[in-house]
Amino acid sequence: MKFLSTLVVAGLSLSALSSQATVLTFDAYAPGTILTNEYAAQGVNFTGNALVYTQAPFYVSPVNGLAAGGAVFSAVFDWDIDNVEATFLDSEIGSNVGSMLAYDFNNVLLGSVTATTPGAMSVTLSLNLAGIRRVDFLAADDGAVVDNLTFTPSASAVPEPATLALLGLGLAGLGFMRRSA
């Protein structure tokens, strides 16, 4: 019975992991790196010109972020996301820093948000929409970067490794129960 209790606790722990927020800071990559599948283990890939760029606003230490030089780059998620958030940094006070556009699995636009920052050099944008699968980022000028990309999987979306682990735990539990009987 103690083994069965351990299996239940382990299964619940694994399922809880699937709904925790993930934060990507891009600090591990050298400026000039174009990201594609470096964060595949976290369930996200980048398309377009997702270039690591160092931004140094005068009031903070230099930070690495993703820049597209006025073009679009995208984060494509392996499963549905219900919340996505990113910080846009720009060296020009009062400029139109950028936009985020969220799409579902069928590439239907779910919603968008644009950052305008009069008197500020940093703004955090977020979209709380069910079923996000892709987010397009548009940095309004060459100096704007996106940092601290945070996303939360849907409660119904369980990443494949967790699903397989839960299946394995269930089969092990059934085998143990059969052996006990």
Side-chain angles (χ1 to χ4, degrees), residues 5 12-13 32 39 41-42 52 60 66 76 79 88 98 116 123 126 130 137 141 152 157 163 167 169 173:
S5 298
L12 291 174
S13 298
Y39 290 102
Q42 288 86 359
V52 176
V60 295
L66 295 183
V76 180
W79 49 82
F88 284 73
T116 54
V123 64
S126 71
F137 297 91
D141 61 47
T152 307
T163 302
L167 176 64
L169 285 172

Side-chain angles (χ1 to χ4, degrees), residues 19-100:
S19 62
Q20 293 180 349
T22 300
V23 180
L24 307 180
T25 64
F26 314 111
D27 294 334
Y29 297 97
T33 304
I34 295 177
L35 297 184
T36 55
N37 62 355
E38 289 77 2
Y39 290 102
Q42 288 86 359
V44 63
N45 293 290
F46 292 94
T47 62
N49 189 23
L51 176 71
V52 176
Y53 180 82
T54 300
Q55 176 62 280
F58 67 87
Y59 64 94
V60 295
S61 301
V63 296
N64 277 359
L66 295 183
V72 175
F73 67 89
S74 302
V76 180
F77 300 99
D78 290 345
W79 49 82
D80 287 349
I81 302 299
D82 285 343
N83 176 300
V84 64
E85 181 177 289
T87 301
F88 284 73
L89 299 154
D90 199 345
S91 58
E92 298 176 23
I93 294 177
S95 65
N96 184 9
V97 177
S99 301
M100 288 188 340

